């Protein structure tokens, strides 16, 4: 394969085999958290080798070849000094979201960020006070709880309602939480762990309440790019001028292109006064210096990653189908939610959880398969497990066979 000086493949040269997601790589030699099997609150230690790890949300796929080539070029250059994001960087971000999601974000609204969760912390510190309420919709991504509590804010939980195997908003409870002193709402869009893409109507209903009670909205859109059905991604700030004025849209290519180890993120803050306030806080926290490799990875992924993502999406979709089919035929007591987006499948295993006195531990100890324990996601996550299908299909098939065999032994 030949490359231009920017690391972009020559036209038509992105070979099918280089987009293959079936290859298996040993990640342990590079300190992979997913495969370390070390003891922490999320990944239980298991004696012996051979644990299949499908828990934390990174994929076992190589990044797009243009990204790898650009980073290799940067490594070979050998000078890793201070770097910055020039105006063209933001044009690249704008072009990506217009092309993939129809969101025409204003260049002037964009701020650089090292990653999404540090940005959420900075937003909370800038626009809320200790003791202010912050709403989350549980079960949800567990670091939300930590960023709220560790920054001295009051965690307010709006439980999602489970109906017919899918989550729905509980707007009555949301209003109760809003009226109790909420200052901000941390939205997961699409939702992690369920992969639900919120509709325009759902977002409008939430926004009406946020407007009524003067609540700022921090929207984490990190899982928006891997679209598994026809439901589009609706960016919160796009639903109205008011929604744009009171929201902070947090984006990153790290989940999409498996770049968590070389992070870079972008914030969209439409309100000029709030944008300047946040900029000052981030600057005072030394959050604005670009990571040398993260910046390059973001630019190349958003410029040349479309073919890779277009190949990844059906592969992930087929992995989801394999999980759903296996559960229906061979995993009694396990009911998957089919996601609209992302590479994560949320499994309702409450029936099995009661039978085995802890479904997560059961699959670790009896099947050698490490999934994410649903209790980590807060109220409503008890008896659920999250399965990461961002892996070679043979690895997923082995894990599902192990789980099937473990259940047969009951």
């Amino acid at each position: 394969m030949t490359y231009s000086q920017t690391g972009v493949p020559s036209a038509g040269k992105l070979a099918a085999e280089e987009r293959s997601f079936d290859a298996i790589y040993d990640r342990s030699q590079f300190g992979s958290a997913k495969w370390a099997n070390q003891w922490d609150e999320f990944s239980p230690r298991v004696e012996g080798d051979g644990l299949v790890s499908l828990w934390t949300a990174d994929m076992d796929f190589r990044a797009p070849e243009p990204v790898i080539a650009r980073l290799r070029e940067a490594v070979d250059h050998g000078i890793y000094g201070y770097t910055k994001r020039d105006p063209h960087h933001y044009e690249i971000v704008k072009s990506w979201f217009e092309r993939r999601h129809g969101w025409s974000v204003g260049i002037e609204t964009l701020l650089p960020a090292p990653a999404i969760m540090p940005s959420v912390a900075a937003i909370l510190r800038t626009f809320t006070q200790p003791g202010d309420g912050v709403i989350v919709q549980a079960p949800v991504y567990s670091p939300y709880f930590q960023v709220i509590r560790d920054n001295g804010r009051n965690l307010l939980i709006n439980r999602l309602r489970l109906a017919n195997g899918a989550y729905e908003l509980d707007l009555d409870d949301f209003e109760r939480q809003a009226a109790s002193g909420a200052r901000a709402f941390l939205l997961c869009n699409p939702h992690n762990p369920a992969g639900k893409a919120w509709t325009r109507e759902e977002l409008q209903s939430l926004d009406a309440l946020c407007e009524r009670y003067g609540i700022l909205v921090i929207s984490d859109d990190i899982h928006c790019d891997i679209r598994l059905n026809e439901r589009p991604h609706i960016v919160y700030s796009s639903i109205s001028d008011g929604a744009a004025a009171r929201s902070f849209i947090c984006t990153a290519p790290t989940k999409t292109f498996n770049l968590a180890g070389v992070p870079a993120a972008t914030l969209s803050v439409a309100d000029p006064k709030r944008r300047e306030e946040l900029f000052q806080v981030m600057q005072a926290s030394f959050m604005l210096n670009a990571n040398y490799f993260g910046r390059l990875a973001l630019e190349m992924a958003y410029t040349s990653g479309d073919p890779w993502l277009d190949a990844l999406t059906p592969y992930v979709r087929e992995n989801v189908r394999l999980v759903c089919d296996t559960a229906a035929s061979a995993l009694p007591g396990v009911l998957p939610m089919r996601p609209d987006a992302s590479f994560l499948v949320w499994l309702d295993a409450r029936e099995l959880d009661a039978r085995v006195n802890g479904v997560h531990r059961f699959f670790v100890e009896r099947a050698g398969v490490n999934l994410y324990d649903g209790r980590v996601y807060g109220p409503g996550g008890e008896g659920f497990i999250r399965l990461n299908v961002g892996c070679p299909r043979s690895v997923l098939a082995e894990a599902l066979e192990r789980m099937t065999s473990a259940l047969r032994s009951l």
Side-chain angles (χ1 to χ4, degrees):
M1 176 178 289
T2 58
Y3 291 87
S4 70
Q5 290 184 347
T6 61
V8 180
S10 301
K13 297 294 186 180
L14 192 60
E17 61 269 24
E18 291 177 317
R19 299 202 308 264
S20 171
F21 304 105
D22 288 322
I24 298 175
Y25 299 94
D26 179 4
R27 299 179 58 192
S28 61
Q29 60 184 314
F30 297 105
S32 166
K34 184 177 182 181
W35 290 93
N37 297 345
Q38 62 187 7
W39 180 271
D40 62 28
E41 64 175 306
F42 307 124
S43 177
R45 183 177 180 180
V46 177
E47 298 299 330
D49 297 325
L51 188 72
V52 178
S53 286
L54 303 179
W55 67 288
T56 199
D58 69 12
M59 297 185 285
D60 294 319
F61 305 134
R62 282 166 59 90
E65 191 60 33
V67 174
I68 296 171
R70 182 61 169 149
L71 294 180
R72 184 180 295 118
E73 182 180 54
V75 168
D76 290 344
H77 187 264
I79 302 173
Y80 314 129
Y82 294 116
T83 186
K84 64 183 180 65
R85 308 188 198 200
D86 60 26
H88 182 59
H89 174 93
Y90 300 101
E91 293 286 351
I92 290 172
V93 174
K94 175 181 174 65
S95 177
W96 174 263
F97 283 97
E98 284 182 336
R99 190 166 70 248
R100 303 299 300 199
H101 303 295
W103 180 38
S104 185
V105 60
I107 292 289
E108 74 284 356
T109 74
L110 299 179
L111 292 177
I116 286 183
M117 291 312 298
S119 303
V120 171
I123 294 167
L124 290 177
R125 289 196 301 270
T126 306
F127 300 105
T128 67
Q129 298 298 318
D132 282 349
V134 182
I135 301 173
V136 300
Q137 296 178 310
V140 75
Y141 182 53
S142 58
Y144 288 4
F145 308 134
Q146 181 179 356
V147 76
I148 293 167
R149 288 170 171 153
D150 287 1
N151 281 282
R153 276 56 178 173
N154 182 26
L155 177 66
L156 302 175
I157 293 179
N158 169 224
R159 284 276 297 271
L160 296 172
R161 291 190 303 214
L162 186 58
N164 300 316
Y167 284 123
E168 297 178 349
L169 299 175
D170 186 339
L171 293 173
D172 291 337
D173 181 69
F174 189 96
E175 183 163 16
R176 284 191 291 272
Q177 303 298 337
S180 72
R183 175 59 180 152
F185 165 39
L186 182 45
L187 169 68
C188 197
N189 183 30
H191 182 262
N192 173 12
K196 179 180 174 65
W198 301 108
T199 66
R200 183 175 297 276
E201 292 73 22
E202 288 170 321
L203 295 177
Q204 287 171 334
S205 297
L206 289 168
D207 188 59
L209 292 171
C210 290
E211 180 181 22
R212 183 181 308 166
Y213 290 94
I215 294 173
L216 300 176
V217 179
I218 308 167
S219 183
D220 175 358
D221 292 33
I222 198 168
H223 284 286
C224 71
D225 291 321
I226 302 175
R227 317 300 305 168
L228 301 179
N229 56 34
E230 295 304 313
R231 178 173 284 188
H233 175 62
I234 307 298
V235 179
Y236 189 92
S237 65
S238 71
I239 62 178
S240 72
D241 290 343
R246 64 181 143 266
S247 64
F248 305 81
I249 310 302
C250 306
T251 67
T254 46
K255 298 298 183 187
T256 307
F257 297 103
N258 211 29
L259 299 171
V262 282
T266 311
L267 309 182
S268 174
V269 187
D271 182 271
K273 184 175 182 296
R274 290 193 179 114
R275 184 167 63 249
E276 179 60 25
E277 287 182 68
L278 181 59
F279 178 87
Q280 294 299 331
V281 169
M282 295 176 73
Q283 186 174 55
S285 301
F286 296 90
M287 294 176 64
L288 299 179
N289 290 338
N291 177 281
Y292 180 74
F293 295 105
R295 176 187 67 87
L296 295 175
L298 181 151
E299 291 176 356
M300 192 54 63
Y302 280 168
T303 302
S304 303
D306 296 77
W308 186 91
L309 178 56
D310 291 340
L312 171 77
T313 301
Y315 192 94
V316 169
R317 187 183 297 122
E318 182 63 19
N319 277 1
V320 171
R321 185 200 64 78
L322 178 60
V323 171
C324 293
D325 289 353
T326 303
S329 63
L331 297 175
V334 177
L335 301 174
M337 289 188 192
R338 194 178 290 270
D340 299 317
S342 86
F343 50 88
L344 306 170
V345 182
W346 188 231
L347 305 173
D348 183 350
R350 287 174 294 174
E351 177 186 326
L352 179 60
D353 186 68
R355 289 176 58 200
V356 300
N357 194 30
V359 64
H360 176 252
R361 177 65 66 176
F362 172 80
F363 281 129
V364 168
E365 295 180 346
R366 299 284 292 272
V369 177
N370 190 17
L371 309 172
Y372 228 136
D373 189 333
R375 292 174 298 176
V376 171
Y377 297 88
E382 303 87 351
F384 286 75
I385 42 179
R386 194 191 72 178
L387 189 155
N388 179 348
V389 299
C391 62
R393 192 158 301 132
S394 60
V395 174
L396 178 61
E398 178 184 351
L400 292 171
E401 176 56 36
R402 290 185 182 196
M403 294 166 68
T404 299
S405 297
L407 288 180
R408 289 196 192 111
S409 67
L410 287 177

